Amino acid sequence: MTEHKLFDLSGLNALVCGASQGIGRATAELFAKQGARVCLLARNADKLEAVKAQLSNPERHFCVTADLSRQADIESAVRTTAEKFGPVQILVNNAGGPASGTLMGAQSAAFESALATHILSQLHLCQAIVPQMKAEGFGRIINIISTSVRVPISGLGVSNTIRAAVAGFAKTLSNELAPHSITVNNVLPGYTLTERLSSLAQSAATRDGVTHDQIMEGWRSQIPARRFAKPEEVAAALAFLASREAGYITGVSLQVDGGRIGSI
Ligand code: NAD
C-alpha cells in the first residue's frame, strides 16, 4: 500500500473552478503544493495559464476555459478534461458571487443568471463527474459559498437567496453520495482579501456615500479576529476537506470567518 503524509493530495486529480483569482486561485496553489494534479477552470485562458505557471510543477497541471453560466461550455470543458487530464476525484465548485443589491430592487435576470452560475453549473458538473468518482471509489465535492447561509448579509439579496439554495443542494447530494465514499461539503468564507471583497466595498461605499476604507474598517471591526482572511487560509480548509483523512466528514458547512458568525 502507498504511504501518504498527512493531508497529502498526491495521486488525486482536482478540478478547481474559478481558479484565475482569489480563493479559487489560492486553492489551486495549495492543492498543487500538496501533490494533487490540478485542472484550473475559469473564463480567461491567459489568466489561467499565468496562474498555472506559478504552481508547483506547472507541467503536471492543465487549464480549461468555460463560462459556468453556460451549459454548453460546461459540457465541452468536462469532455476536454476527461480526454486530456483524466478522471477527477476532487471537484471545487466556485464562481464569482452575484452582484450586490436589495431584493426589492432585484430583476428576474439577476436570479436567472445566479441560478445558472451557482446551481445549474454544479448540477451539470456533478452529473458528469460523479460517475468518474464512483468508478474510483473516492470523491470530494467542495462548494465555496458564504457565511450568508448562516446569517444573510444586508445588501446581497440575490446572493443570500442563491447561497441558501446551494447549501440545500449540497446537503441533499451528500446524502445521495455518501454510500459511494464521496463527500460533499461547503466552505463558508468570511471577509477574505480578494478582488471580490474590494469591489463589494466599493459598491457599499458608493451606496452609503463614504470611502472604501471606511467600509473596510466597519467590516473589520465586526470580526473577533480583527482582521480579514487571507485567501490561503480559506484554501487550507478546502485542502483538509479534500484530503483522504476527511473521509467521514460530509454534509457540513465549515465557516472560515475569524469568528464573525456569532452563533454556537
Ligand atoms: P473572485 O471574484 O475574486 O473570484 C471568482 C473566480 O471565479 C474568478 O476566477 C472568476 O474569473 C471566476 N468566475 C466568475 N464567474 C465565472 C463564470 N461565470 N464562469 C467561470 N468562472 C467564473 O471571488 P473570491 O473572493 O475568490 O470568492 C470566491 C467565492 O466565495 C465567490 O462566490 C464569493 O462570492 C464567495 N465569498 C467571498 C468572500 C470574500 O470576502 N472574498 C466572502 C464570502 C463569500
Side-chain angles (χ1 to χ4, degrees), residues 102-118:
T102 60
L103 273 182
M104 292 309 292
Q107 306 290 322
S108 304
F111 275 98
E112 283 158 9
S113 161
L115 188 76
T117 307
H118 294 274

Side-chain angles (χ1 to χ4, degrees), residues 98-160:
S100 57
T102 60
L103 273 182
M104 292 309 292
Q107 306 290 322
S108 304
F111 275 98
E112 283 158 9
S113 161
L115 188 76
T117 307
H118 294 274
I119 295 281
L120 297 180
S121 69
Q122 296 198 16
L123 177 70
H124 298 132
L125 283 166
C126 290
Q127 285 176 339
I129 288 169
V130 163
Q132 300 170 14
M133 294 177 169
K134 284 184 179 171
E136 299 281 317
F138 179 96
R140 301 281 184 266
I141 298 171
I142 309 165
N143 308 311
I144 302 178
I145 41 179
S146 169
T147 55
S148 64
V149 302
R150 300 250 192 269
V151 180
I153 299 170
S154 96
L156 290 180
V158 175
S159 180
N160 291 338

Side-chain angles (χ1 to χ4, degrees), residues 17-24 41-43 47 66-69 94-98 117-118 144-147 153 159 163 188-197 200:
C17 299
S20 64
Q21 65 180 40
I23 297 167
L41 181 149
R43 289 162 297 187
K47 281 183 87 175
D67 181 335
L68 290 166
S69 66
N94 172 48
T117 307
H118 294 274
I144 302 178
I145 41 179
S146 169
T147 55
I153 299 170
S159 180
R163 304 308 192 172
L188 314 181
Y191 292 120
T192 308
L193 288 167
T194 69
E195 289 82 344
R196 158 89 176 161
L197 190 68
L200 285 176

Side-chain angles (χ1 to χ4, degrees), residues 43-234:
R43 289 162 297 187
N44 185 311
D46 291 342
K47 281 183 87 175
L48 284 176
E49 286 297 338
V51 173
K52 188 185 104 162
Q54 301 296 315
L55 301 184
S56 317
N57 303 311
E59 66 292 343
R60 303 179 67 224
H61 310 295
F62 183 74
C63 299
V64 67
T65 52
D67 181 335
L68 290 166
S69 66
R70 298 163 55 127
Q71 186 176 352
D73 276 21
I74 294 175
E75 286 167 356
S76 153
V78 165
R79 256 195 321 275
T80 310
T81 305
E83 283 164 19
K84 300 195 177 156
F85 180 72
V88 169
Q89 291 97 19
I90 304 168
L91 168 63
V92 175
N93 287 309
N94 172 48
S100 57
T102 60
L103 273 182
M104 292 309 292
Q107 306 290 322
S108 304
F111 275 98
E112 283 158 9
S113 161
L115 188 76
T117 307
H118 294 274
I119 295 281
L120 297 180
S121 69
Q122 296 198 16
L123 177 70
H124 298 132
L125 283 166
C126 290
Q127 285 176 339
I129 288 169
V130 163
Q132 300 170 14
M133 294 177 169
K134 284 184 179 171
E136 299 281 317
F138 179 96
R140 301 281 184 266
I141 298 171
I142 309 165
N143 308 311
I144 302 178
I145 41 179
S146 169
T147 55
S148 64
V149 302
R150 300 250 192 269
V151 180
I153 299 170
S154 96
L156 290 180
V158 175
S159 180
N160 291 338
T161 308
I162 218 73
R163 304 308 192 172
V166 174
F169 176 104
K171 186 67 184 170
T172 308
L173 191 64
S174 73
N175 292 334
E176 287 184 21
L177 299 182
H180 302 280
S181 303
I182 300 171
T183 66
V184 184
N185 293 295
N186 305 313
V187 167
L188 314 181
Y191 292 120
T192 308
L193 288 167
T194 69
E195 289 82 344
R196 158 89 176 161
L197 190 68
S198 187
S199 86
L200 285 176
Q202 194 51 59
S203 307
T206 307
R207 182 194 65 212
D208 297 351
V210 296
T211 67
H212 178 278
D213 286 358
Q214 283 170 314
I215 293 289
M216 292 291 273
E217 186 45 34
W219 287 346
R220 200 181 62 82
S221 68
Q222 298 164 20
I223 308 169
R226 295 289 183 269
R227 66 176 180 85
F228 297 114
K230 293 182 239 162
E232 46 283 22
E233 292 177 300
V234 182

